[in-house]
């Protein structure tokens, strides 16, 4: 992937929080606890929704797939972040960096589309309940999940190729927690205007458009809920939707700020902190948001614990 007569670097250095040398052990412990919570919490959701037949519905089918993606998503970045907290060698190979960025983008884009699928499921369930079983069939749900993956595979492969086709000269230090597009473009010694346009278009298609669809869906859902005669029905509907909206706000909000705002070298430290929201904070809170505020999930979990 070398370009012109420039020399391609054999690897990069992930700076992370290396400037805070005295807090590396503390960061390691915090990230390790968060990673274990993510694996355990999302793993429980996957197994409970698989084992309990009462949860074999479209909503929990999408939730199970979302939890699986969250486990994979954090596993792309967090193990390397943990290793860098303790190791003096913070290198990552050229191929390893490319692979990390590709799977990070692929899984992040897949999550964007899964959140849209979940919003559509809630829209049909609340706004068109009589047609729900006819609309949200198992075949339709499987196609929506498969489409979330298949649409992202070629697009993010192309994005990764465009970035790693650039010549990297001078400093090979990535001022970020993991290999991502904006900090890598800062290392290139050629004009990256074309890459930045591609990033902006991809962010509009894979983040802004899904986010707007979710917002429009929930505006229609809110109107329908407010027209419900039953107070208990309104409360149950709002409770179901509020969990999804919380995750949407955390994930899309931080992601759009990082990828859509103008870049500068001074903004990189801010991007590090914001990236923690959509890489580890959202996956960590997902199990609590969807389990503690969901009576069906709590019932299924206690039923499984009691059976064991």
């Amino acid at each position: 992937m070398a370009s012109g007569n420039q020399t391609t670097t054999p690897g990069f250095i992930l700076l992370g929080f290396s400037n805070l040398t005295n807090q590396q052990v503390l960061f390691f412990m915090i990230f390790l606890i968060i990673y274990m919570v993510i694996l355990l919490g999302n793993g429980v959701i996957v197994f409970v929704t698989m084992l309990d037949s009462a949860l074999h519905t479209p909503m929990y089918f999408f939730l199970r797939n979302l939890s699986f993606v969250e486990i994979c998503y954090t596993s792309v970045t967090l193990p390397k972040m943990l290793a860098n907290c303790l190791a003096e060698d913070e290198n990552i190979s050229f191929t390893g960096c490319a692979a990390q960025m590709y799977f990070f983008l692929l899984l992040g884009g897949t999550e964007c589309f899964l959140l849209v699928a979940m919003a559509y499921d809630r829209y049909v369930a609340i706004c068109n309940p009589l047609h729900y079983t006819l609309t949200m069939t198992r075949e339709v749900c499987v196609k929506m999940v498969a489409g979330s993956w298949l649409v992202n595979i070629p697009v993010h492969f192309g994005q990764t190729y465009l970035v790693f086709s650039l010549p990297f000269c001078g400093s090979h230090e990535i001022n970020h927690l993991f290999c991502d597009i904006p900090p890598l473009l800062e290392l290139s010694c050629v004009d990256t205007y074309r890459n930045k346009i591609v990033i902006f278009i991809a962010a509009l298609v894979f983040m802004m458009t899904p986010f707007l669809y979710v917002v429009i869906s929930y505006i229609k859902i809110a109107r329908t809920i407010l027209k419900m005669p039953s107070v208990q029905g309104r409360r149950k509907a709002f409770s179901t939707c509020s969990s999804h909206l919380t995750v949407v706000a955390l994930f899309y909000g931080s992601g759009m700020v990082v990828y859509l705002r103008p870049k500068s070298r001074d903004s990189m430290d801010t991007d590090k902190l914001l990236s923690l929201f959509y890489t580890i904070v959202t996956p960590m809170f997902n199990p609590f948001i969807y389990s503690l505020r969901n009576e069906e999930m709590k019932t299924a979990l206690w039923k499984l614990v009691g059976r064991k």
Side-chain angles (χ1 to χ4, degrees):
M1 290 186 183
S3 176
N5 56 9
Q6 299 286 344
T7 302
T8 302
T9 175
F12 299 96
I13 299 172
L14 289 168
L15 294 181
F17 294 119
S18 57
N19 57 319
L20 304 173
T21 54
N22 296 329
Q23 283 79 40
Q24 292 303 302
V25 175
L26 176 63
F27 285 135
F28 175 83
M29 295 303 299
I30 293 173
F31 288 154
L32 180 61
I33 292 171
I34 290 173
Y35 191 39
M36 298 304 294
V37 169
I38 290 169
L39 293 180
L40 180 61
N42 286 284
V44 166
I45 288 179
V46 170
F47 284 110
V48 169
T49 55
M50 286 178 63
L51 295 175
D52 196 313
S53 58
L55 302 182
H56 291 177
T57 63
M59 182 175 77
Y60 294 106
F61 174 75
F62 291 129
L63 178 57
R64 179 163 65 249
N65 280 276
L66 179 67
S67 294
F68 173 74
V69 168
E70 295 284 34
I71 291 172
C72 298
Y73 188 54
T74 52
S75 296
V76 170
T77 57
L78 259 177
K80 182 61 178 174
M81 289 164 59
L82 286 168
N84 287 351
C85 286
L86 296 182
E88 294 183 4
D89 182 11
E90 297 174 337
N91 289 323
I92 183 169
S93 67
F94 186 83
T95 304
C97 188
Q100 186 186 60
M101 192 177 84
Y102 172 68
F103 285 108
F104 170 76
L105 294 174
L106 168 64
L107 292 161
T110 301
E111 180 164 347
C112 286
F113 280 79
L114 282 176
L115 291 173
V116 171
M118 294 174 76
Y120 179 72
D121 173 70
R122 292 298 84 206
Y123 168 76
V124 177
I126 294 173
C127 298
N128 296 294
L130 298 178
H131 297 92
Y132 183 74
T133 55
L134 295 175
T135 303
M136 299 303 296
T137 63
R138 180 167 181 79
E139 182 182 1
V140 169
C141 294
V142 170
K143 286 182 178 178
M144 292 175 76
V145 171
S148 299
W149 285 91
L150 294 175
V151 168
N152 282 278
I153 290 172
V155 173
H156 296 304
F157 180 84
Q159 281 216 89
T160 304
Y161 178 79
L162 284 176
V163 172
F164 284 89
S165 294
L166 295 170
F168 298 103
C169 45
S171 174
H172 298 154
E173 295 179 343
I174 300 175
N175 187 21
H176 206 47
L177 299 166
F178 50 86
C179 292
D180 199 4
I181 298 178
L184 274 164
L185 293 184
E186 294 295 323
L187 303 183
S188 179
C189 49
V190 297
D191 183 21
T192 59
Y193 178 77
R194 183 181 66 170
N195 298 80
K196 291 175 181 177
I197 292 297
V198 171
I199 294 170
F200 185 77
I201 294 172
L204 287 177
V205 174
F206 288 88
M207 294 185 69
M208 196 65 186
T209 301
F211 175 72
L212 289 175
Y213 180 88
V214 172
V215 170
I216 292 171
S217 297
Y218 274 103
I219 289 173
K220 294 181 179 180
I221 288 171
R223 289 176 179 172
T224 303
I225 292 174
L226 292 173
K227 293 177 183 178
M228 290 180 177
S230 170
V231 175
Q232 186 176 358
R234 289 199 298 268
R235 187 181 295 114
K236 183 178 179 181
F238 272 123
S239 177
T240 303
C241 296
S242 63
S243 300
H244 186 230
L245 278 174
T246 304
V247 174
V248 167
L250 284 171
F251 184 77
Y252 283 111
S254 54
M256 285 190 293
V257 171
V258 170
Y259 288 101
L260 290 177
R261 71 172 179 168
K263 296 296 170 190
S264 67
R265 292 187 180 275
D266 296 332
S267 68
M268 287 301 170
D269 289 334
T270 304
D271 287 352
K272 283 186 199 178
L273 296 176
L274 288 172
S275 68
L276 292 176
F277 278 91
Y278 57 83
T279 54
I280 63 175
V281 174
T282 302
M284 180 180 67
F285 281 118
N286 267 4
F288 300 103
I289 293 170
Y290 284 112
S291 299
L292 297 180
R293 302 183 65 181
N294 188 305
E295 291 299 327
E296 291 176 324
M297 278 293 298
K298 285 191 287 187
T299 301
L301 182 59
W302 285 116
K303 189 192 304 181
L304 183 64
V305 171
R307 187 185 305 164
K308 295 298 181 183

